[in-house]
């Protein structure tokens, strides 16, 4: 059991015992609690801090910990019924704002105990560069001026680092608090209120959530094994009047497709002819499984059509929320203004730590280790599917990313399957939230990055096969 879970156990136990102490009474000493629970002083300190944050106890340095007043930690009951009117009373001519975070939360919520997570959107803790991150943060904290206010655009050295891959200078780069924040800023900056935004179909649910929360109207453009279909993209621009197209040309989420070389120029030309921007979400740039990668779309764009989103969160840690917005032309100032209004700037210590991380000799070694680990996990999942559920094996294995997109048999109920899989001990994501309109077929997305390795993946697929058999029996019956 780690320190955080141990602290939670101690806090829960003390919380249940607080009624034994009158208000203002002193609780047992930290030394007594250490001996009683058999934990470290740090664990006891964390448990008491949690109770103090809830207003249940008061800690007095040098004197001990005391139970708080009777009503200190008790939440106040208020009538919030009026908010149901305020949150829905909008201009009837405007597109409704729909704030639905379910698709995003599905990748953030930890599974119940004993459940294998085929839903995680980040690397398993054993694959995260925890030691390198700790060392980078420690070195960054000692840098002169590390705690001073950074430029609102971000540190020049970090902007230059992100810009090199895109073929631009630091003046075209803004540092953001991760890829999701960058995407939010981009869509708010580029799409008119109530307007349409073209998206790949299927696509990343977080993009759909951002668009709808901003009052925008997502319009689907179907993808196939070679990425978005240019013929349908041109039709969608003409029919919708959209001025923004959101896409993931590299290891698309959820299909894993890479935009074919012959389509790259077509996409840029179609968008330019429509007077529109292409928002390129390059989230998987450092999640390849080995082998050469195509350059970002922005590197082939001399006209300022592409607004590029980059992030270091996926190949490192969920808590390293550092990304970048890269663009050419006046749009940079629009992006900068919106980011400043929203969040001022990314904390300087985090930017300094990122520079330390990507500049260390361990960085390229880490990326090679991630590529090998993802490749191993992908092959383990494919092998297990061939053994247990060969009908689910995709026609082509993705060459990067952290998931597989599985087409279910016609008539399958993906929601029922996900529920049955959870009962069987494996969590997966139904495909419906990935489509901005009606889904053409049943799908599920299964991730392999947030697993401990092939053994856990093999067991998870076994449980999935049992759930699929149960769903089929229920449907036929």
């Amino acid at each position: 059991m780690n320190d955080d879970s141990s602290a939670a156990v101690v806090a829960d136990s003390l919380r249940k015992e607080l009624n034994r102490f009158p208000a203002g009474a002193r609780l047992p000493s930290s030394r007594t609690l250490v001996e009683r629970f058999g934990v470290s002083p740090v664990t006891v300190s964390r448990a008491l801090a949690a109770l103090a944050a809830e207003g249940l106890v008061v800690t007095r340095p040098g004197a001990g910990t005391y139970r708080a007043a009777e009503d200190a930690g008790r939440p106040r009951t208020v009538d919030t019924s009026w908010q149901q009117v305020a949150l829905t009373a909008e201009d009837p001519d405007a597109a409704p704002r729909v704030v639905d975070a379910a698709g995003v939360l599905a990748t953030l919520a930890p599974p119940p105990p004993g459940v294998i997570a085929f839903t995680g959107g980040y690397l398993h803790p054993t694959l995260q560069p925890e030691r390198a991150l700790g060392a980078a943060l420690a070195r960054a904290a000692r840098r002169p001026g590390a705690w001073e206010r950074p430029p609102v655009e971000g540190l020049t050295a970090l902007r230059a680092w992100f810009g090199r891959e895109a073929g631009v200078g630091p003046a075209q780069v803004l540092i953001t608090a991760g890829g999701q924040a960058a995407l939010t800023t981009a869509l708010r900056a580029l799409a008119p209120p109530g307007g349409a935004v073209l998206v790949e179909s299927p696509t990343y649910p977080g993009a759909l959530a951002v668009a709808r929360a901003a009052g925008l109207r997502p319009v689907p453009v179907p993808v196939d094994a070679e990425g978005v279909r240019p013929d349908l993209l041109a039709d969608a621009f003409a029919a919708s009047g959209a001025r923004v197209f959101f896409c993931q040309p590299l290891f698309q989420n959820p299909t894993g497709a890479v935009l074919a070389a012959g389509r790259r120029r077509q996409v840029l030309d179609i968008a330019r002819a429509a007077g529109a921007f292409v928002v390129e979400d390059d989230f998987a740039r450092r999640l390849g499984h080995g082998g050469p990668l195509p350059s970002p779309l922005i590197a082939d764009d001399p006209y300022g059509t592409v607004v590029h989103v980059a992030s270091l969160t996926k190949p490192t840690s969920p808590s390293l929320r550092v990304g970048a917005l890269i663009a050419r032309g006046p749009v940079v100032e629009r992006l900068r203004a919106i980011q400043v209004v929203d969040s001022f700037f990314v904390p300087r210590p985090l930017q300094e730590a990122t520079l330390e991380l990507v500049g260390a000799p361990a960085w390229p070694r880490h990326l090679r280790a991630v590529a090998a680990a993802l490749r191993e996990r992908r092959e383990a999942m494919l092998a297990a599917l061939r053994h247990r559920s060969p009908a689910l094996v995709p026609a082509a294995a993705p060459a990067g990313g952290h998931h597989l997109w599985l087409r279910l048999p016609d008539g399958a109920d993906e929601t029922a399957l996900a529920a049955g899989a959870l009962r069987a001990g494996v969590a997966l994501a139904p495909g419906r939230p990935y489509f901005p309109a009606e889904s053409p077929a049943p799908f599920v997305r299964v991730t392999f990055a947030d697993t401990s390795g092939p053994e856990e993946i093999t067991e998870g697929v076994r449980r999935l096969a049992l759930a699929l058999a149960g769903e089929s029996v229920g449907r036929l019956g």
Side-chain angles (χ1 to χ4, degrees):
M1 185 178 294
N2 60 38
D3 288 343
D4 289 340
S5 58
S6 297
V9 170
V10 174
D12 187 57
S13 179
L14 293 176
R15 193 180 293 108
K16 294 174 181 176
E17 297 177 8
L18 280 179
N19 287 334
R20 293 169 40 197
F21 299 89
R26 187 174 186 272
L27 271 64
S29 68
S30 295
R31 179 178 297 178
T32 300
L33 295 176
V34 166
E35 295 175 353
R36 173 185 165 188
F37 290 101
V39 296
S40 69
V42 172
T43 298
V44 169
S45 177
R46 289 179 177 174
L48 294 176
L51 297 181
E54 296 173 21
L56 299 177
V57 301
V58 176
T59 301
R60 300 171 187 166
T65 302
Y66 298 80
R67 184 181 176 186
E70 289 292 339
D71 60 348
R74 188 174 302 160
R76 182 184 173 192
T77 301
V78 296
D79 182 7
T80 59
S81 303
W82 65 273
Q83 293 184 2
Q84 298 179 48
V85 177
L87 290 173
T88 55
E90 298 182 346
D91 181 352
D93 296 326
R97 291 184 302 158
V98 180
V99 185
D100 182 2
V104 179
L105 289 173
T107 65
L108 297 177
V115 173
I116 295 173
F118 281 174
T119 51
Y122 301 101
L123 296 179
H124 190 268
T126 58
L127 300 180
Q128 296 173 22
E130 184 174 332
R131 183 172 299 178
L133 284 167
L137 194 60
R139 291 193 301 269
R142 295 193 295 269
R143 285 187 171 193
W147 293 92
E148 295 178 3
R149 179 179 63 82
V152 293
E153 301 88 355
L155 298 179
T156 301
L158 187 56
R159 293 160 67 200
W161 185 86
F162 273 109
R164 278 196 295 273
E165 203 160 39
V168 303
Q172 282 73 52
V173 181
L174 300 173
I175 300 302
T176 68
Q180 188 73 7
L183 176 56
T184 300
T185 297
L187 291 187
R188 287 186 58 200
L190 303 176
V197 55
L198 305 187
V199 298
E200 295 169 314
S201 181
T203 191
Y204 165 51
L208 299 176
V210 167
R212 289 168 175 153
L216 304 176
R217 180 165 48 89
V219 176
V221 185
V223 302
D224 58 23
E226 295 186 335
V228 68
R229 289 181 50 182
D231 56 332
L232 297 179
L233 178 64
D235 291 344
F237 271 124
S240 68
R243 291 295 178 265
V244 180
F245 169 47
F246 168 79
C247 63
Q248 296 174 321
L250 185 64
F251 310 136
Q252 197 254 3
N253 181 11
T255 66
V258 176
L259 185 62
R263 295 186 179 184
R264 290 166 62 93
R265 175 50 55 191
Q266 287 180 276
V267 167
L268 294 179
D269 288 346
I270 290 169
R272 186 174 174 229
F277 290 97
V278 173
V279 177
E280 176 190 20
D281 182 8
D282 204 24
F283 77 103
R285 173 65 47 181
R286 295 168 182 85
L287 296 179
H289 300 168
L293 300 178
S295 60
L297 275 184
I298 192 171
D300 299 332
D301 167 41
Y303 301 107
T305 301
V306 177
V307 173
H308 181 85
V309 175
S311 174
L312 285 174
T313 303
K314 293 293 186 185
T316 56
S317 162
S319 291
L320 188 69
R321 305 214 62 78
V322 174
L325 273 169
I326 305 174
R328 295 181 176 91
V331 70
V332 175
E333 182 55 34
R334 171 79 65 86
L335 294 167
R336 174 182 177 273
I338 287 183
Q339 175 169 292
V340 169
V341 169
D342 280 350
S343 58
F344 287 3
F345 49 78
V346 176
R348 183 164 187 153
L350 200 56
Q351 294 190 56
E352 298 278 11
T354 302
L355 279 170
E356 289 283 353
L357 177 70
V358 300
W363 177 243
R365 293 198 299 269
H366 167 68
L367 294 181
R368 289 193 296 270
V370 167
L374 292 179
R375 185 170 61 250
E376 178 188 45
R377 284 160 172 75
R378 179 199 66 192
E379 290 305 307
M381 182 166 280
L382 289 170
L385 286 170
R386 291 188 191 102
H387 176 62
R388 296 283 183 181
S389 299
L392 297 186
V393 177
H402 51 52
H403 61 267
L404 299 179
W405 183 238
L406 307 183
R407 167 72 152 84
L408 299 179
D410 289 337
D413 185 333
E414 61 187 41
T415 302
L417 173 60
L422 192 60
R423 290 192 296 271
V426 61
L428 49 84
R432 181 63 188 86
Y434 293 82
F435 290 92
E438 289 78 7
S439 171
F443 291 89
V444 293
R445 193 192 79 153
V446 289
T447 63
F448 45 78
D450 192 16
T451 61
S452 60
E455 184 176 342
E456 184 176 38
I457 289 172
T458 300
E459 172 59 19
V461 172
R462 185 190 71 82
R463 298 179 186 184
L464 170 58
L466 291 175
L468 184 61
E471 196 277 333
S472 300
V473 169
R475 178 161 44 88
L476 294 174

